[in-house]
Amino acid sequence: MSGLRWLFLATMLFAPATPANTPPEAPRPTARAWLLVDHDSGRVLTEHGADQPVAPASLTKLMTSYLVFEALQQGKLKLDDRVTVSRHAAAHSGASLFLRPGEVLSVEDLIRGMIVSSANDATVALAERIAGSDSAFIDRMNARARELGLEQTRFANVTGLDQDGQRSTARELTRLAGYLIRDFPQQYQTYFRLREFTHNRIRQYNRNALLWRDATVDGVKTGRTRAAGHNLIASARRGSMRLLATVLGAPNEGARVDGAQRLLEHGFRHFETRLLYAADTPAARLRVWMGNQSELPIGVGRPLYLTLARGQHEKLNARLTTFKTMQTAPVLRGERLGTLALEVEGKPYAEYPLVALQEVTPGNVVQRFIDRIQLWLR
């Protein structure tokens, strides 16, 4: 399978089969639900209750963070903007920076407070600054959840405090964390790995204990309420491989941290992720007739990563099939022209669409004449 490089899970035609020589049984955290997934390939390595509706607690702030980072990216908000804390924001219970009505903070300090301290007052202040009110911001949160395909996720507040109608699942919260890492990599690396934050001479520590235990962990978020129990999504990168481990509804702090850590260790020890095709790397070149060019590069069109049990990448084979025996112009960029089938130890594993990586327009009179002669001689 020389020459193969790597696509995203969304373009898969069929879900991967389970290869032979599967790894040992995965850990089973003491929790209501858990999920371990490779960030780049999207492959789920183990799960339990991942689609069960649960109270998200402060994992809600992942969506709040997403919209805050988006506002920064669009220039609607700046890190040094000054925000005056409202009475409504200062009155919020739970984790807080102990903000006072009328106090003025920078947007960046409020972000640090929201992410590191999980401060509800800072979170509401940011929501009000962006949308005018936290209720208007909640509407944006739910709209963006639908746009991201988070069909079982509903937000009733911006903080994650227990409230009727506030729900999500382990799978969708993990996907949200992945979108945050993918869409805002700089902001993610800047804020989610911070271990502490000090405001008004009060030092508060990040509740993600894995930031101290494992140097490869760089986020993401914890949460705890009476309805939710103890929640944690942890992300770690070792080499080129990033895993997301989610534990929801653990009975205590120790159980969620231990559960996430054991999931991560299992994934890194027994699996390996490789890039098979970069976005514009051809898997093959297709002869095109009657066009302005005679060869067309075809590939998967997006980065294609594959996660397999360690040692199985060497047993991987690829088979390319095109739909037409003779391809003629015009061909649109992105047009589906065939299938890439992967096999592990001779057994079908997954299929991906092959698309045109360039556009081919109809050739001029001379090009078409030459192609007709060549076809006649064949």
Side-chain angles (χ1 to χ4, degrees):
M1 200 203 86
S2 60
L4 286 187
R5 295 281 173 200
W6 277 120
L7 169 62
F8 199 63
L9 187 64
T11 62
M12 292 180 57
L13 301 181
F14 302 102
T18 302
N21 302 325
T22 54
E25 184 177 353
R28 298 182 60 83
T30 304
R32 296 173 194 161
W34 62 82
L35 179 69
L36 177 66
V37 63
D38 181 271
H39 171 68
D40 291 310
S41 71
R43 180 176 172 186
V44 173
L45 304 182
T46 185
E47 64 178 286
H48 170 78
D51 297 310
Q52 170 186 331
V54 295
S58 279
L59 299 184
T60 297
K61 294 184 177 79
L62 294 175
M63 179 59 84
T64 312
S65 299
Y66 190 99
L67 293 180
V68 170
F69 295 157
E70 186 175 65
L72 288 169
Q73 187 180 74
Q74 295 172 348
K76 298 177 181 178
L77 193 67
K78 295 181 180 179
L79 291 176
D80 57 0
D81 283 351
R82 309 299 290 177
V83 179
T84 301
V85 177
S86 70
R87 187 174 301 277
H88 174 66
H92 269 69
S93 59
S96 73
L97 294 181
F98 307 102
L99 301 179
R100 301 180 300 275
E103 188 174 352
V104 179
L105 287 82
S106 68
V107 164
E108 184 161 35
D109 278 347
L110 289 172
I111 291 173
R112 291 192 182 106
M114 173 179 66
I115 294 173
V116 179
S117 307
S118 200
N120 294 333
D121 47 5
T123 303
V124 174
L126 282 168
E128 291 178 334
R129 171 63 177 79
I130 293 172
S133 68
D134 55 351
S135 60
F137 193 87
I138 293 165
D139 291 339
R140 297 189 187 187
M141 294 170 69
N142 285 314
R144 184 47 49 87
R146 291 190 294 272
E147 292 169 4
L148 293 174
L150 309 180
E151 298 178 355
Q152 297 190 65
T153 298
R154 296 292 182 276
F155 298 108
N157 59 57
V158 303
T159 62
L161 292 174
D162 289 336
Q163 186 171 337
D164 289 344
Q166 182 113 324
R167 67 182 186 278
S168 190
T169 67
R171 193 179 315 280
E172 293 196 352
L173 288 169
T174 305
R175 287 173 58 193
L176 177 56
Y179 292 145
L180 191 65
I181 295 169
R182 180 196 69 185
D183 296 343
F184 305 103
Q186 181 179 348
Q187 290 85 352
Y188 173 77
Q189 290 294 333
T190 298
Y191 299 111
F192 282 90
R193 67 195 315 158
L194 292 176
R195 295 182 178 181
E196 62 182 57
F197 175 62
T198 300
H199 177 68
N200 282 342
R201 293 181 291 184
I202 301 174
R203 179 178 297 178
Q204 299 193 41
Y205 296 93
N206 196 315
R207 292 168 174 81
N208 183 358
L210 289 180
L211 290 172
W212 281 267
R213 291 192 186 184
D214 185 340
T216 67
V217 172
D218 54 18
V220 199
K221 192 76 183 69
T222 65
R224 181 182 68 84
T225 65
R226 183 182 299 275
H230 292 255
N231 295 345
L232 170 62
I233 299 178
S235 181
R237 175 175 287 280
R238 298 184 187 177
S240 60
M241 186 176 181
R242 177 181 290 281
L243 296 178
L244 287 159
T246 298
V247 177
L248 303 184
N252 51 56
E253 162 74 8
R256 74 179 178 189
V257 173
D258 177 68
Q261 187 169 39
R262 289 191 294 126
L263 287 174
L264 290 172
E265 289 299 330
H266 172 79
F268 285 119
R269 182 173 301 163
H270 299 295
F271 294 90
E272 182 181 10
T273 299
R274 294 185 185 179
L275 175 67
L276 296 190
Y277 287 99
D280 294 320
T281 299
R285 293 186 179 274
L286 184 65
R287 179 64 166 99
V288 180
W289 301 92
M290 310 300 171
N292 66 331
Q293 59 189 57
S294 60
E295 282 194 348
L296 170 66
I298 59 174
V300 289
R302 299 177 66 180
L304 174 56
Y305 292 85
L306 188 67
T307 303
L308 293 174
R310 290 195 174 273
Q312 296 217 334
H313 281 277
E314 287 67 31
K315 304 172 184 178
L316 184 66
N317 291 301
R319 177 169 46 85
L320 284 69
T321 305
T322 55
F323 297 144
K324 297 181 180 179
T325 56
M326 188 178 76
Q327 182 67 53
T328 57
V331 180
L332 298 176
R333 179 181 176 90
E335 182 177 340
R336 185 176 163 190
L337 302 175
T339 299
L340 170 69
L342 300 180
E343 298 177 349
V344 178
E345 295 184 318
K347 297 180 180 179
Y349 180 77
E351 290 188 2
Y352 304 85
L354 284 173
V355 301
L357 299 181
Q358 296 177 6
E359 179 183 18
V360 179
T361 60
N364 58 35
V365 173
V366 174
Q367 290 169 322
R368 295 199 304 271
F369 176 76
I370 293 173
D371 277 359
R372 287 192 183 98
I373 295 297
Q374 289 182 340
L375 287 171
W376 181 76
L377 291 174
R378 288 177 59 181

